[in-house]
Amino acid sequence: GCFDDGPRRGVEAEKAMASQLVVASDRNRAINAQDTRQFVTMFIDEQLFGVPTQQIQDAHVLSEITPVPLAPREIAGVLNIRGKIVTAINLRIRLGLDPRTDGKGGMSILVEHEHDLYSLMIDSVRDVVDLPNSLQEQVPINLDRRWRDVAESVYRLDGELMIESSVPRQLNFLR
């Protein structure tokens, strides 16, 4: 009778339910991916910065930089990275800060902008983070103009403010 199809229906129902859960899980994962952004975080003078990961090619310890005569102050010089000549930009100078005097070499992130390679000099790299878009805020009006010029937005994190910056904004002084 009526109980003969029970186990078969149960298996088919479980498969259908499992299939729906997989689809829902994939949909939630896609929604979650759209609701977050991934950043490489770094410090410049104890200020936390984040640059979208897709804008960064590499991070490396600074090597020997050759000065370029008559270049703007922000351009520290050029260096050779994997056989390519790369322009080094000192973000401390770009932001109106004093150069490092602690004797530490610092780090650099390698980026491409308008088909040219740049090495953006920073104090240190922290890590890669995924941040929910719900934490993103507009740049505060009272942020120093030089910092505001490189900021896309800010994220209020546990006791610190991360300034979201983009490569085009960091290099807009070259125009």
Side-chain angles (χ1 to χ4, degrees):
C2 67
F3 293 105
D4 292 335
D5 292 334
R8 191 168 53 90
R9 275 194 191 148
V11 170
E12 288 177 9
E14 284 178 10
K15 284 182 181 177
M17 179 66 87
S19 175
Q20 288 173 349
L21 288 175
V22 168
V23 169
S25 174
D26 288 345
R27 188 178 313 119
N28 287 341
R29 194 174 304 120
I31 289 169
N32 288 340
Q34 292 172 355
D35 290 344
T36 63
R37 296 185 54 213
Q38 192 173 64
F39 297 94
V40 174
T41 58
M42 60 203 70
F43 285 98
I44 302 171
D45 196 42
E46 299 182 19
Q47 174 59 57
L48 181 64
F49 271 85
V51 176
T53 53
Q54 68 269 22
Q55 294 182 11
I56 297 177
Q57 292 189 3
D58 196 9
H60 55 92
V61 176
L62 279 174
S63 59
E64 187 176 334
I65 297 173
T66 304
V68 176
L70 305 176
R73 282 191 60 223
E74 297 91 342
I75 297 179
V78 294
L79 61 153
N80 185 329
I81 298 179
R82 290 183 234 118
K84 295 186 181 204
I85 301 301
V86 178
T87 302
I89 307 294
N90 188 327
L91 290 183
R92 291 181 67 90
I93 302 297
R94 168 80 175 92
L95 294 168
L97 302 170
D98 292 328
R100 287 183 78 154
T101 58
D102 60 8
K104 296 179 182 175
M107 299 279 302
S108 182
I109 56 172
L110 185 64
V111 300
E112 184 177 344
H113 179 64
E114 296 179 358
H115 309 293
D116 290 318
L117 289 175
Y118 295 91
S119 177
L120 304 179
M121 299 166 59
I122 57 175
D123 293 345
S124 63
V125 173
R126 186 188 234 177
D127 51 22
V128 176
V129 297
D130 291 306
L131 296 177
N133 290 338
S134 61
L135 295 179
Q136 186 179 27
E137 299 179 20
Q138 288 186 353
V139 177
I141 192 73
N142 59 349
L143 192 64
D144 181 279
R145 180 190 53 79
R146 289 173 289 212
W147 292 70
R148 212 173 42 242
D149 284 348
V150 301
E152 295 280 349
S153 67
V154 297
Y155 287 78
R156 292 189 196 280
L157 308 176
D158 297 323
E160 60 189 343
L161 185 72
M162 183 192 87
I163 297 174
E164 175 193 353
S165 188
S166 69
V167 171
R169 281 191 177 264
Q170 292 167 350
L171 298 176
N172 65 8
F173 75 94
L174 295 171
R175 286 185 264 135

